[in-house]
Amino acid sequence: MATPRLLPGWAEELRRRYLRNEASMFVLHGNVYDAVVHEGRMLALTDFLTDVLLRESKETIAVYNLASGVRFAKRSRASSDDEPFAEPNRDKALQALERLVTTGTKTAAILEYAETLAPAADTSFQTDADRAS
């Protein structure tokens, strides 16, 4: 009898690549709105990433969505300044996330609906905000 895998194949591959220092950023694409089955529970992809894949290895996990802004699935005590994240402005929220990820340790940022932040289009037709993202 084969033992069940703890993580889906794609998640185990991400974990292996991260642990081997092959990559520190990943773009998940395809049907990202499907549920992920883990230990008999169905989880949305973001919940799976924050509650299962990243929970033990990261001290801070920020989730950004253009419509709802930044929310923290997990927050270290060292990063307690909420001011930049309360900003509804996309550019300022992305700048605050960039500072958090580049200056913090053990920090993850999940950008939901990335196509709304950096739409696929010819740059000559994009707004300044789209090009900056």
Side-chain angles (χ1 to χ4, degrees):
M1 181 176 189
T3 55
R5 285 193 305 208
L6 297 176
L7 295 174
W10 61 268
E12 184 60 37
E13 179 67 19
L14 288 180
R15 187 178 87 55
R16 276 196 309 270
R17 287 177 180 257
Y18 178 77
L19 291 175
R20 289 189 303 226
N21 289 324
E22 289 181 21
S24 61
M25 289 192 297
F26 300 93
V27 176
L28 302 181
H29 59 89
N31 196 358
V32 296
Y33 305 109
D34 268 356
V36 179
V37 178
H38 179 71
E39 295 181 349
R41 298 181 312 155
M42 294 185 70
L43 302 169
L45 179 60
T46 298
D47 294 334
F48 174 77
L49 294 172
T50 59
D51 297 345
V52 177
L53 198 60
L54 300 171
R55 175 70 55 188
E56 297 301 317
S57 63
K58 300 299 178 186
E59 293 175 359
T60 300
I61 303 170
V63 179
Y64 180 68
N65 178 317
L66 185 60
S68 58
V70 177
R71 73 173 173 83
F72 287 92
K74 185 177 179 183
R75 188 106 187 238
S76 75
R77 292 187 182 125
S79 64
S80 61
D81 183 18
D82 281 332
E83 183 71 30
F85 299 106
E87 182 64 50
N89 180 297
R90 167 177 78 170
D91 300 330
K92 290 184 180 179
L94 289 174
Q95 288 171 4
L97 277 174
E98 182 178 24
R99 274 192 307 279
L100 179 71
V101 170
T102 57
T103 61
T105 58
K106 296 187 177 185
T107 302
I110 298 171
L111 305 177
E112 296 179 317
Y113 306 102
E115 71 276 8
T116 63
L117 300 173
D122 188 320
T123 55
S124 61
F125 295 111
Q126 292 180 344
T127 65
D128 289 339
D130 289 338
R131 284 194 298 270
S133 293

